[in-house]
Amino acid sequence: MSRIITTISDRRKIAKDTYEVTFKCVEGEFHFTPGQYVEVILPDLLQADTKGSSRFFSITSKPDDNQNISVAFRMSDSNFKKTLVDKELGSQVMLRGPFGDFSLPNDDTKIPVVLLAGGIGIAPFLSMIRCAVERLPEQSITLIYANSKVERAVYVDELKALSDKYQNFTLILKYGYIDPSFVKRSVNNQQNCLWFICGTPMFVHNAKYILGELTVDHKQIKYHIQAGYGERHLQIDSREISHKYFNSKEIESYFLNGVNVSSNPLLEVLSQSVLISVSDPNGIILYVNDYVLNITQYRREDLVGKNYNILNSGYHPPDFFQTMWETIKSGRSWRGEVRNVAKDGSFFWVDTIISPIFDDDGQIKYYLTIRFTITDEKRAEEELHQKTEMLQTTLEQMRVREVELEKIKKATLNILEDLDEEKRVVEKKVEQRTLELQFEKAKILQVTSNMKAGAILLDGEGKVEFVNRRVYEILKVSPAEAPLDRIVSMLCEHFDEKDRVCANVERMLKGESFMEPELTSGSRIYEVYFQFLEEQNAAIPTADRFILVYDVTETKLLERSKSELVAIASHQLRTPLTAMRGNVELLMDESYGPLNVDQKELLSDMDISTNRLISMVNDMLDITKIEKGTLDMDPEDVVLKEVIDSICEDFSDYARRREVVVSINVPKNISVFVDRSRVRQVLQNLIDNAIKYGGRPGKLEIEAMLDGDYALVTVKDNGIGIPKTEHSRIFGRFYRASNTSNSSSSGSGLGLYIVRSIVEQLGGKIWFESDEGEGTKFSINLPTKKIAEPG
Ligand code: ATP
Ligand code: MG
């Protein structure tokens, strides 16, 4: 047996209220023999059907037309059939089967076969005939096809054509009832034929009766109630049975007085497949037929004289039987599906009709109970129910899945749309950024084109994008003589230090920025900037490079002559100034005679001024040396404490006058590796400032400690401090903070400039912390060891 999902591929109306429906299968998917039937299960009905969503139908198609499975049925008010007729072609259905062993003999005896079909009972025969006429040419087949009316007959044209075409097939059509004489006339040698009957239950029973009349051995008869009619669908109205067929006398004569039921043909037929019993008005069993014993496994004496409770399985609620009793006691028949229990404890289901049988006075004398076993059908129904539910659950799940998939699809589309939107936004940003960059470039180009400096703009690969006019002037060529791809090499060639410049260009292309303060070309001096412009917030990476060439010949020459002038002037000044100071000292020592108070005061003023001038000249000389890079250095191990003590010693008078208390916290063991006189000069300057700009009373703390390979020296005062806004300018030449104008102290503003230059040349660093009115702390660090020469 197989179970397949197929689709409705075709549908025809083949007679009045009669349809043939075809399902499309994959070849070889569904095997059956002619005469078998199939269960059709619909996933959903257009309208609910109390008998569920599956039905059995005989297969009308031939097995070798395996791709098509056809069934035929009469229309009724069943919603199942209506759905099958109204559903769109292509709709899915499930087929289960095949079922039944109602098929032609498969041996060589070749006994003539007679088929008795009533109405739509033709269906299983159709498949048999279609198949056998071709395959079994020696098999004689006669079909007696009975229909109530012409318009109810189906496949008549086809059957006629087949009987004309094939010798072995005879068609006998009959409109109206068939009776023994008709069958006798139509078929010779009835006892030697194999009989197949199919139709409604009544038709089958009637046909069996006819064949009985014709003394056909029941072993020669095969019958099949048209699929779709279970025995329980026998169209017998129980009231009709009781009133039409039986009165109390008949009950007594058929059942209770031992008269054989076979005297009534209908009863005989029923007796073979139906449970018949009779009880008195109190439900005490008076009679059971053999079939009851068969099904219940009880002996007759176990049942007769008892009530039906013996068969009660306890399945139904008490009001079920109460309703039953109320119905039958009121003189009406009752019908219901009952689960009973057999002697061995197994259950069986019966479709039960209980009819009251009245005596001549109209009183209920007996109850006639007729039961059809429906256990298999109940089971099938249960199975079907489960299957349908399963199918429905599966379909439901599929529907849910479909909805989910639809949701996922929508979500995916949304995401794709968002992505698209995002892409558009990014593209727009990139576009805008590119534009901005182009603008920036344009601005740069505009600026550079009017610049005094020569400007070359390159991209990251070193490709020259722009050269301004000034470059050509510097190189002394016309733009035609210097194409863009040669301009950088021409520039390198231009300088005396061409290898150095080439190396610099390489460094810049790799992303470094730096400045060469002095490159020369013959007598010309240039300041050259190699600039890497990194895009800070680059949506697209750009790294443009600039080479800016400033001709600083004039400025440099001017500076040089200025410092030469200063140097010369300073030298020239220093000699007479030193002489002056010596002479003033001699006079003050009264080496040339005693002085009066006024003379002494005058000489003291002269001494101060000369000293100031000398120190200023010295500063100027130092500056020229610093700027020329000729400040001589002779490093050695210098014990810091010694230097600091000695300076403080020199400043002790000065400090006392300024009411400054000096505290020194410098360990003896710290020495620095520097030029002795220069470190002294530095510390002297810092201590001088700390006293000069210190508090009144002042507190000066000098400390030193080791910090790795360096000694950290701090000079801290509690004086006027340096305003935060001026911190950046304090190391500049001639710079004096704004708050010093209030103090009486004089100064040139050169001290710290010289100090920083010296500290840096000594290999150290200088910094400070201060704010106006908060005091000042200067820190320097100086190497304690010889520093490795750079490079
Ligand atoms: P000189 O050349 O004689 O040293 P100067 O002391 O004025 O003159 P710098 O030593 O260079 O010049 O100092 C520059 C300025 O920094 C000072 O004029 C002063 O305003 C400020 N300054 C330096 N040291 C201190 C300090 N310890 N406290 C407050 N201000 C200071
Ligand atoms: Mg100073």
Side-chain angles (χ1 to χ4, degrees):
M1 194 189 69
S2 45
R3 185 199 309 258
I4 56 170
I5 304 273
T6 67
T7 52
I8 303 175
S9 62
D10 197 12
R11 181 161 45 222
R12 296 193 293 142
K13 186 169 181 181
I14 49 178
K16 187 170 185 287
D17 297 332
T18 313
Y19 293 87
E20 183 188 69
V21 175
T22 304
F23 308 105
K24 183 123 207 104
C25 303
V26 175
E27 186 141 19
E29 199 180 27
F30 191 87
H31 293 284
F32 66 97
T33 52
Q36 284 194 298
Y37 57 100
V38 65
E39 181 184 11
V40 178
I41 304 158
L42 294 179
D44 46 5
L45 298 178
L46 298 179
Q47 266 186 308
D49 188 313
T50 48
K51 292 188 190 122
S53 53
S54 98
R55 289 289 187 288
F56 293 90
F57 296 104
S58 289
I59 303 167
T60 57
S61 47
K62 283 191 292 180
D64 54 2
D65 190 7
N66 240 349
Q67 272 171 286
N68 289 314
I69 300 209
S70 304
V71 299
F73 56 88
R74 289 257 199 257
M75 202 49 194
S76 65
D77 53 3
S78 133
N79 282 330
F80 180 90
K81 287 183 184 172
K82 279 187 191 145
T83 305
L84 206 50
V85 167
D86 291 341
K87 245 187 176 277
E88 279 171 32
L89 292 185
S91 304
Q92 281 199 332
V93 297
M94 187 191 255
L95 298 186
R96 198 174 77 101
F99 301 100
D101 52 1
F102 193 61
S103 21
L104 290 177
N106 197 13
D107 54 27
D108 293 333
T109 52
K110 301 290 176 285
I111 304 174
V113 167
V114 185
L115 312 174
L116 280 174
I120 195 66
I122 188 70
F125 294 141
L126 201 67
S127 177
M128 288 183 193
I129 295 163
R130 282 171 170 168
C131 186
V133 287
E134 286 173 11
R135 290 206 207 146
L136 310 165
E138 282 159 34
Q139 174 73 63
S140 149
I141 302 169
T142 303
L143 168 68
I144 299 177
Y145 183 20
N147 275 286
S148 53
K149 292 176 188 141
V150 180
E151 62 266 29
R152 303 275 285 173
V154 288
Y155 303 111
V156 173
D157 291 344
E158 184 185 346
L159 292 166
K160 278 184 180 160
L162 288 175
S163 79
D164 290 347
K165 188 172 174 191
Y166 296 99
Q167 290 291 314
N168 59 336
F169 175 55
T170 310
L171 171 68
I172 298 161
L173 281 168
K174 168 80 178 155
Y175 295 107
Y177 292 103
I178 51 170
D179 54 30
S181 61
F182 174 78
V183 177
K184 199 171 175 180
R185 265 184 278 128
S186 307
V187 183
N188 302 323
N189 234 343
Q190 302 94 13
Q191 286 83 2
N192 289 335
C193 293
L194 194 58
W195 295 81
F196 284 79
I197 311 168
C198 185
T200 60
M202 281 312 258
F203 178 84
V204 171
H205 290 147
N206 187 34
K208 277 166 80 179
Y209 164 70
I210 291 167
L211 295 183
E213 289 289 286
L214 298 177
T215 63
V216 177
D217 183 350
H218 71 269
K219 287 189 197 120
Q220 301 279 89
I221 304 169
K222 278 194 158 196
Y223 65 91
H224 178 68
I225 292 174
Q226 164 62 32
Y229 290 88
E231 282 176 327
R232 67 184 168 128
H233 300 115
L234 265 173
Q235 300 295 304
I236 302 171
D237 183 277
S238 51
R239 215 161 228 294
E240 225 173 286
I241 294 176
S242 57
H243 291 151
K244 208 169 167 186
Y245 292 92
F246 306 110
N247 55 37
S248 57
K249 297 256 173 6
E250 280 162 330
I251 293 291
E252 283 154 11
S253 75
Y254 288 132
F255 308 115
L256 303 181
N257 301 335
V259 178
N260 195 335
V261 286
S262 62
S263 58
N264 180 318
L266 179 60
L267 270 184
E268 197 200 347
V269 170
L270 281 176
S271 234
Q272 285 168 21
S273 54
V274 174
L275 295 85
I276 302 174
S277 55
V278 179
S279 72
D280 71 6
N282 298 318
I284 302 297
I285 299 169
L286 303 172
Y287 166 81
V288 288
N289 71 346
D290 291 348
Y291 202 56
V292 172
L293 307 178
N294 223 344
I295 299 294
T296 62
Q297 298 158 18
Y298 285 108
R299 290 172 302 159
R300 186 163 272 119
E301 52 269 37
D302 294 336
L303 298 174
V304 174
K306 312 272 167 49
N307 69 21
Y308 287 108
N309 268 346
I310 193 167
L311 300 178
N312 191 344
S313 66
Y315 174 80
H316 303 281
D319 62 345
F320 179 81
F321 293 111
Q322 200 178 319
T323 317
M324 178 202 87
W325 275 110
E326 279 167 12
T327 310
I328 56 176
K329 278 185 172 167
S330 73
R332 285 174 290 135
S333 294
W334 177 87
R335 182 171 188 169
E337 291 183 349
V338 183
R339 194 180 84 168
N340 283 341
V341 62
K343 193 175 179 186
D344 69 352
S346 63
F347 299 118
F348 62 95
W349 277 89
V350 278
D351 182 7
T352 306
I353 301 162
I354 308 177
S355 301
I357 306 290
F358 305 93
D359 62 15
D360 294 343
D361 300 335
Q363 294 299 312
I364 296 171
K365 195 166 185 192
Y366 305 110
Y367 290 113
L368 171 65
T369 305
I370 296 177
R371 295 171 232 227
F372 306 97
T373 58
I374 52 167
T375 310
D376 289 350
E377 289 171 43
K378 273 277 175 191
R379 202 170 290 141
E381 199 173 84
E382 182 58 27
E383 250 175 49
L384 259 175
H385 188 69
Q386 279 174 4
K387 250 178 297 167
T388 315
E389 263 186 4
M390 257 168 60
L391 199 69
Q392 252 150 11
T393 320
T394 314
L395 282 171
E396 192 47 40
Q397 280 168 351
M398 276 168 69
R399 263 194 288 268
V400 170
R401 190 79 196 112
E402 219 166 83
V403 172
E404 268 172 21
L405 279 175
E406 191 56 32
K407 273 190 206 153
I408 291 170
K409 196 174 125 195
K410 267 193 198 141
T412 314
L413 281 177
N414 280 347
I415 290 170
L416 284 177
E417 251 169 45
D418 288 355
L419 278 179
D420 229 36
E421 185 54 36
E422 215 140 276
K423 199 176 131 207
R424 263 197 297 265
V425 170
V426 170
E427 274 171 2
K428 198 148 193 180
K429 272 191 194 158
V430 169
E431 205 174 282
Q432 197 171 335
R433 195 68 203 117
T434 315
L435 239 146
E436 277 172 22
L437 286 170
Q438 276 169 357
F439 254 120
E440 261 163 40
K441 218 176 248 181
K443 265 196 291 184
I444 291 166
L445 294 185
Q446 203 182 359
V447 172
T448 51
S449 64
N450 296 321
M451 258 176 16
K452 288 228 171 86
I456 300 175
L457 174 61
L458 307 92
D459 71 10
E461 260 81 59
K463 189 172 145 263
V464 175
E465 291 189 354
F466 172 78
V467 175
N468 75 351
R469 182 181 41 82
R470 185 78 184 101
V471 172
Y472 300 110
E473 286 171 10
I474 290 169
L475 296 179
K476 295 192 185 71
V477 289
S478 70
E481 290 167 300
L484 288 187
D485 58 346
R486 286 202 51 229
I487 204 89
V488 174
S489 57
M490 285 173 80
L491 184 77
C492 293
E493 288 291 328
H494 179 70
F495 293 110
D496 299 334
E497 307 85 350
K498 68 174 183 220
D499 291 344
R500 189 181 165 85
V501 177
C502 284
N504 283 345
V505 171
E506 284 306 311
R507 276 173 64 194
M508 175 195 66
L509 288 178
K510 281 182 192 145
E512 277 183 60
S513 292
F514 50 93
M515 189 266 264
E516 283 282 9
E518 201 171 314
L519 291 173
T520 55
S521 175
S523 59
R524 309 301 300 174
I525 306 167
Y526 300 95
E527 205 170 82
V528 184
Y529 290 83
F530 298 88
Q531 196 68 35
F532 165 63
L533 288 184
E534 196 162 14
E535 214 14 80
Q536 288 296 309
N537 180 21
I540 42 168
T542 60
D544 285 345
R545 276 85 169 155
F546 270 114
I547 303 175
L548 294 178
V549 188
Y550 287 94
D551 187 334
V552 290
T553 314
E554 270 72 40
T555 328
K556 287 273 180 195
L557 289 181
L558 210 69
E559 254 177 33
R560 261 181 221 169
S561 52
K562 191 183 80 188
S563 22
E564 267 161 28
L565 192 77
V566 171
I568 292 165
S570 309
H571 268 295
Q572 301 293 335
L573 280 171
R574 205 156 62 156
T575 324
L577 275 173
T578 320
M580 261 177 75
R581 187 173 58 182
N583 290 342
V584 169
E585 275 172 6
L586 280 174
L587 285 173
M588 280 172 68
D589 286 349
E590 298 184 329
S591 310
Y592 295 97
L595 301 168
N596 62 32
V597 179
D598 290 341
Q599 286 167 329
K600 270 189 184 165
E601 204 173 309
L602 210 67
L603 278 173
S604 164
D605 281 352
M606 269 179 75
D607 187 45
I608 291 169
S609 301
T610 339
N611 273 327
R612 202 184 288 157
L613 267 172
I614 288 171
S615 91
M616 182 128 163
V617 166
N618 280 337
D619 283 353
M620 299 281 262
L621 278 171
D622 278 347
I623 286 172
T624 35
K625 279 185 196 158
I626 286 166
E627 285 174 0
K628 275 167 82 180
T630 54
L631 204 63
D632 41 323
M633 294 282 177
D634 190 9
E636 57 180 308
D637 280 323
V638 181
V639 177
L640 268 180
K641 189 166 167 51
E642 284 172 10
V643 181
I644 290 166
D645 282 347
S646 136
I647 297 168
C648 289
E649 177 64 38
D650 289 352
F651 276 124
S652 57
D653 262 3
Y654 179 41
R656 203 176 313 117
R657 261 185 282 129
R658 294 257 174 179
E659 301 166 46
V660 174
V661 181
V662 183
S663 74
I664 304 166
N665 184 8
V666 179
K668 279 185 202 151
N669 59 348
I670 300 179
S671 51
V672 285
F673 190 76
V674 289
D675 183 289
R676 184 181 293 275
S677 63
R678 293 296 172 196
V679 76
R680 186 184 173 90
Q681 192 180 352
V682 166
L683 291 168
Q684 214 165 17
N685 254 301
L686 294 179
I687 294 167
D688 176 39
N689 282 350
I691 297 171
K692 193 157 55 169
Y693 306 111
R696 301 277 179 276
K699 206 172 140 205
L700 166 61
E701 294 167 49
I702 306 165
E703 290 184 359
M705 65 184 82
L706 275 174
D707 179 15
D709 289 341
Y710 289 84
L712 174 70
V713 186
T714 54
V715 179
K716 186 179 165 199
D717 65 58
N718 61 339
I720 58 169
I722 303 166
K724 277 252 187 311
T725 49
E726 296 177 50
H727 280 201
S728 62
R729 293 150 76 188
I730 221 73
F731 289 110
R733 279 186 297 187
F734 302 109
Y735 191 81
R736 304 194 71 210
S738 53
N739 57 341
T740 46
S741 53
N742 306 334
S743 78
S744 54
S745 23
S746 56
S748 63
L750 284 173
L752 284 180
Y753 173 74
I754 296 167
V755 163
R756 184 170 73 173
S757 307
I758 293 172
V759 168
E760 283 172 3
Q761 283 199 41
L762 290 177
K765 262 190 212 145
I766 178 163
W767 66 96
F768 66 94
E769 295 145 62
S770 181
D771 201 359
E772 196 162 7
E774 301 279 311
T776 306
K777 179 176 161 189
F778 270 90
S779 308
I780 54 171
N781 69 8
L782 295 166
T784 50
K785 293 178 186 155
K786 186 177 167 51
I787 330 166
E789 288 287 322

